[in-house]
Amino acid sequence: MSSTHAILVTGGAGFIGSHVVRRLVRRYPTYKIVNYDALTYAGNLDNLTDISSASNYAFEKGDINDMDHVVRTLHKHNINGIIHLAAESHVDRSIEDPLSFVRTNVLGTTSMLEAFRRYRKDTGIEGKFYHVSTDEVYGELGDTGYFTEKTPYSPRSPYSASKASSDHFVRAYHATYGLPVVISNCSNNYGPNQFPEKLIPLMIHNIRKGIPLPVYGEGANIRDWLYVEDHAEAIDLIYHEGRPGETYNIGGDSEWKNIDLVRTLCKLMDEKTGRLLGSSEELIHFVKDRAGHDHRYAIDFSKLKNELGWTPAADFIEGLSKTIDWYLANDAWVERVTDGSYKEYYERQYGEK
Ligand code: NAD
Ligand code: TYD
């Protein structure tokens, strides 16, 4: 057996996964990083063109529900550990089609756990299963307070219910089979390569096109925002140093009310595109609220800070500015991902293109 440390990253062609894969490939030249992804509408190998020919990188197309294929892939690459990010990740799509979230997030995660348990039994490899989850499993907060690792689970959308369920299965594999698992629950990410169905890239895209900016309800909901590269750094650290059986919350220390965030984005876009200041704001359009819309998320990440020394590095306005610059410079990427199926989704969700 080879002595190279090999990590299987599921969902590595998606938004966060691609930043995790890039970081690991660049930072650990002696490791092998295997990206396992089904390439759904959200997965895009263009996200990784800069590292795709690196000698320590490999791509395997496959579905996390295909347990036999996962087991074969684990053997083929002598995998030591798994970082599991593959998921259906968008709340609005979960409201439209909850069962596909159960299939991918609940059954798919359990299938990954079972594949890894069998593979470890066959090979005696002692590696970790790292499950990347969301703060949304904790439900919603009022205007004060923070989610800690001890906050009881109270998911309120089909997406968060499916992620909560997958977290329970991960813990059950630890308790029942002694699988060395670790879980992190993170707040809203933003940055380059995010699919334009999520708030920030959707607004950037619509401002560019000069079409309405759909703000749900009164725009009073609050999210905590973390720059995606800071999340990738936390994942790297937790994979290597997180204690088996433990959970770590990850947050950006950057709470924004949606309407304030959208107005800030409009201002930055006006500045960067040379438009008359205030013209993008005129596109703001308040639309019907999301069903079961969680009011506020906010994270206490003191456990991660105190145990492993992690804090978010990016300032939100600087991160937002970098994100806008990336989208302005990557028209071709945006055009490719907003093809036919995106237009159909947009029409169903917002009733206009
Ligand atoms: P994403 O939707 O951008 O990417 C998901 C990736 O998983 C895609 O590449 C897709 O092709 C792949 N995938 C989907 N179903 C699959 C299947 N059955 N088999 C194999 N691959 C499959 O998601 P993201 O925003 O990068 O989120 C990644 C993870 O982080 C998810 O588990 C999500 O719950 C979690 N998370 C996301 C955020 C956020 O703000 N985006 C915050 C906290 C946690
Ligand atoms: P989103 O990016 O979908 O992330 P999540 O729902 O997982 O937090 O949405 C972030 C916030 O923005 C959320 O409060 C819903 C709101 N939102 C809108 O107001 N309009 C939109 O078109 C979208 C996609 C989101």
Side-chain angles (χ1 to χ4, degrees):
M1 188 173 298
S2 136
S3 60
T4 304
H5 186 82
I7 307 176
L8 187 88
V9 180
T10 71
F15 166 48
I16 301 170
S18 61
H19 288 272
V20 170
V21 166
R22 176 178 300 101
R23 180 183 173 91
L24 297 175
V25 165
R26 289 202 177 142
R27 215 171 130 86
Y28 303 103
T30 62
Y31 286 16
K32 176 151 68 161
I33 307 303
V34 181
N35 173 11
Y36 188 87
D37 199 297
L39 301 181
T40 69
Y41 80 93
N44 191 344
L45 288 178
D46 287 353
N47 294 346
L48 290 165
T49 40
D50 54 334
I51 56 99
S52 61
S53 54
S55 59
N56 62 338
Y57 170 77
F59 173 67
E60 294 282 355
K61 186 169 190 294
D63 192 318
I64 55 171
N65 276 300
D66 185 350
M67 200 197 305
D68 290 343
H69 185 236
V70 174
V71 173
R72 282 199 304 280
T73 308
L74 295 172
H75 279 288
K76 176 176 166 190
H77 295 282
N78 293 317
I79 293 296
N80 299 90
I82 293 179
I83 303 180
H84 175 48
L85 295 111
E88 288 293 336
S89 67
H90 187 38
V91 173
D92 291 324
R93 286 189 192 251
S94 82
I95 294 169
E96 188 180 275
D97 179 17
L99 283 180
S100 68
F101 282 66
V102 175
R103 270 191 296 275
T104 301
N105 299 355
V106 186
L107 293 176
T109 298
T110 311
S111 175
M112 285 300 302
L113 288 162
E114 186 57 17
F116 196 48
R117 181 176 83 83
R118 291 183 188 180
Y119 166 75
R120 286 176 90 249
K121 209 165 152 217
D122 288 348
T123 59
I125 276 174
E126 291 187 343
K128 238 183 219 167
F129 187 98
Y130 178 178
H131 177 59
V132 175
S133 191
T134 167
D135 61 350
E136 303 189 26
V137 298
Y138 298 121
E140 64 173 351
L141 291 165
D143 287 329
T144 58
Y146 295 89
F147 297 134
T148 75
E149 290 81 2
K150 295 200 165 66
T151 302
Y153 275 29
S154 181
R156 293 164 25 91
S157 75
Y159 165 64
S160 54
S162 69
K163 291 295 289 187
S165 174
S166 65
D167 292 9
H168 290 319
F169 273 99
V170 174
R171 293 198 180 95
Y173 266 69
H174 179 66
T176 308
Y177 305 108
L179 201 74
V181 305
V182 67
I183 299 178
S184 59
N185 297 86
C186 186
S187 58
N188 287 56
N189 283 219
Y190 70 100
N193 306 95
Q194 187 168 30
F195 194 80
E197 65 189 356
K198 305 274 169 66
L199 180 71
I200 290 177
L202 185 137
M203 294 298 169
I204 295 173
H205 181 63
N206 286 16
I207 292 170
R208 282 210 88 182
K209 297 250 166 191
I211 60 178
L213 310 180
V215 173
Y216 297 160
E218 293 171 2
N221 305 67
I222 296 164
R223 297 291 181 265
D224 172 57
W225 293 94
L226 177 69
Y227 193 61
V228 64
E229 286 178 9
D230 284 341
H231 191 188
E233 181 190 47
I235 289 174
D236 178 359
L237 191 64
I238 293 169
Y239 175 77
H240 287 98
E241 294 178 31
R243 286 182 291 132
E246 292 293 320
T247 295
Y248 297 88
N249 279 355
I250 310 174
D253 218 358
S254 183
E255 284 183 55
W256 282 78
K257 196 188 267 196
N258 290 343
I259 187 63
D260 295 338
L261 194 165
V262 173
R263 290 205 170 108
T264 302
L265 204 52
C266 287
K267 194 162 157 278
L268 286 170
M269 286 288 286
D270 285 345
E271 283 166 13
K272 285 179 190 284
T273 57
R275 290 182 195 179
L276 192 65
L277 201 62
S279 55
S280 296
E281 256 200 61
E282 285 171 15
L283 296 169
I284 291 176
H285 184 56
F286 292 96
V287 298
K288 188 166 171 281
D289 208 354
R290 173 187 280 173
H293 197 170
D294 287 339
H295 174 60
R296 172 171 168 260
Y297 307 139
I299 295 271
D300 176 346
F301 57 87
S302 52
K303 178 175 173 183
L304 182 58
K305 185 177 172 188
N306 296 337
E307 269 191 30
L308 304 184
W310 179 89
T311 50
D315 164 81
F316 183 70
I317 299 295
E318 278 169 25
L320 202 56
S321 176
K322 269 204 280 186
T323 304
I324 295 172
D325 291 344
W326 186 86
Y327 280 94
L328 293 179
N330 285 278
D331 262 344
W333 184 93
V334 176
E335 287 306 321
R336 267 198 302 281
V337 303
T338 53
D339 65 356
S341 74
Y342 174 82
K343 291 198 175 76
E344 283 162 28
Y345 164 76
Y346 201 90
E347 183 128 10
R348 287 200 306 279
Q349 179 66 17
Y350 301 101
E352 55 202 322
K353 285 190 187 84

